[in-house]
Amino acid sequence: MAPRTNDEEAGGRSARTAGSGTPPPGSEPAPRPESGTPPDERRGEAGAEERVAAVRRVGVAGRRWRAARLAGPAVLLAVALTGGAIAVGAVRDGRTAPAAASGAVDPGVLGGGNLDAAVAALQTHLRSQPRDHAGWATLGLAYVEQARTQGDPARYPQAEKALKRSLALAPGNDQALAGRAALAAARHDFADALTYADRALRQNPYGERALCSRIDALVELGRYGEASRAAGTADERRPGVPVFTRYAYVRELRGDVPAARRVLRQALDAAASPGDVAYVAAQLGQLAWNQGQYASALGYYSRALAADDTYLPALEGRGRAQAASGHRDEAIRGLRAVVARYPLPGPLVALGELYEARGAAGDKARAREQYALVDAWTALARANGVDADLDTALAAADHGDKASALRAARAEWARRHTVHTADALAWALHVNGHDEEALPLARRATATGYRNAAFLHHRGVIELATGHTADGRASLRAALRLNPGFSPLGAARARKALEAAK
């Protein structure tokens, strides 16, 4: 499935290769946010203290993750040197693709310990063969994957430098252009991602990575019809797990859940490596959770974690499904473990809301800590070139500065018109009292047929606020019928609003 746009990861991992003692080739110090940067004046002194503590905790999380990686057993990666070029293929299970193969790279394919070994091998090779343009392209892409899978946005500037080096050595080479597309998408610059993917495909129409990046970019730009055609083209040229999962997501966005499920099951049957199994099973879990099928979702997440017990989307998804199934304390324990290693907006907000819903002694303070960490993640992400406006809008609308949420949502909407940006802007407008402006956007968010209970909840509340009582009640009932546990706080608020509208 196409990567979710609010799944970028942040942390404090060093820009140096673990244990190398020298900077990797292509690296340079990344800008870091100052821990004492004051928040909005309206948050006051207590808010400033929370932000400082949050930034410090992000650094601690990164150090804890790095220490765990160093303590684990070293995994040697077979590195193929073919004609001076170095290629990293299905590194999750130790196998290497031929140098000519351009395998699409997803979190489930290049995550895990072997990625670090691949990076170390590439760095060593490039010290002795600094004019290997293919090696620089592969290193750049590996840095992108480290940023996405290990909570290290400082890798993005390193990736950019390595990819530029590849293009300087071999202008127009499709490997580096595809890498630039992946980097742009990881930074949420989807217009650039599309441009680079198209350039790569002009050089190599069968490049799987570029074909997949093109689908991703079109989806995240809201050009769903074109994305569907791009998925069909990719399926004709390079059928396989990366293309199947993207095709499924396009079908889901257009409301065809049975087709999405069927394609994902076919992809799971075709998955050969543990990384592919974890990736596809987690997408099936997410699809089931979106439909309120919690037992099925938990089954798929278990299958994903059996293949890779560190796979973040499965760990986060399991926590959400546990919470929706009524196992709140178990969900809290699981999500605490997730955010200790990966302090990302999605799981941070989910954990904060679980604390609020539980309401035990100290839970309010614990919830505030999670929401403050979202600000810390945003600062780190932006310092490394990531557009974080969608994440900011979604978190701040309910748990932060409402004016900032609206500014961020408007900025994101100006860049791209998707169901997700329409929903975020509609909700930010609502919490700021602009319901008439919000209504058409809330309806646009559900117009493609995409089945999302949070979108329906937002639409229902806005419809009630604008006097469309019958429509509002229908939207709220649809949200609760589709996924009655879609949010620890949102579902309760939806029930309350529905009761009040009788």
Side-chain angles (χ1 to χ4, degrees), residues 396-478:
D398 286 325
H399 307 293
D401 183 339
K402 294 178 175 57
S404 294
L406 183 54
R407 287 193 297 271
R410 287 193 188 281
E412 194 66 22
W413 181 252
R415 284 186 287 269
R416 55 196 182 104
H417 293 179
T418 72
V419 293
H420 297 281
T421 55
D423 170 72
L425 180 53
W427 194 240
L429 286 164
H430 164 72
V431 299
N432 281 276
H434 306 300
D435 290 301
E436 293 295 340
E437 187 181 353
L439 181 59
L441 288 159
R443 289 177 169 171
R444 180 167 178 166
T446 58
T448 68
Y450 180 47
R451 293 166 58 82
N452 185 296
F455 289 12
L456 290 167
H457 166 228
H458 292 164
R459 172 176 169 167
V461 170
I462 293 167
E463 285 170 335
L464 291 177
T466 52
H468 297 82
T469 304
D471 290 341
R473 291 179 61 192
S475 294
L476 291 172
R477 282 196 298 267

Side-chain angles (χ1 to χ4, degrees), residues 79-241:
V79 178
L81 292 174
T82 306
I86 189 165
V88 180
V91 298
R92 287 301 297 271
D93 57 359
R95 293 181 298 156
T96 304
S102 179
V105 181
D106 291 301
V109 179
L110 278 185
N114 281 2
L115 179 56
D116 288 342
V119 168
L122 283 161
Q123 292 164 349
T124 299
H125 169 73
L126 288 168
R127 289 188 185 98
S128 62
Q129 300 291 333
R131 298 191 61 79
D132 177 9
H133 73 273
W136 284 109
T138 305
L139 179 63
L141 187 65
Y143 282 148
V144 173
E145 292 308 310
Q146 282 188 320
R148 294 201 312 175
T149 63
Q150 298 178 3
D152 187 4
R155 291 296 190 186
Y156 290 138
Q158 295 172 232
E160 184 173 9
K161 189 172 183 178
L163 293 165
K164 284 182 176 179
R165 181 75 174 270
S166 176
L167 287 168
L169 291 167
N173 79 83
D174 71 287
Q175 288 176 285
L177 291 171
R180 289 302 301 263
L183 174 61
R187 284 173 155 173
H188 296 182
D189 186 348
F190 298 107
D192 261 10
L194 181 60
T195 297
Y196 279 114
D198 283 340
R199 287 178 60 187
L201 290 170
R202 283 196 290 272
Q203 299 299 319
N204 176 12
Y206 294 88
E208 188 176 56
R209 187 174 299 122
L211 287 167
C212 290
S213 290
R214 188 170 195 275
I215 301 168
D216 294 344
L218 289 168
V219 164
E220 298 303 339
L221 290 169
R223 294 159 60 173
Y224 300 130
E226 292 176 75
S228 181
R229 292 190 290 275
T233 298
D235 188 41
E236 291 174 1
R237 295 179 184 177
R238 291 296 298 269
V241 168

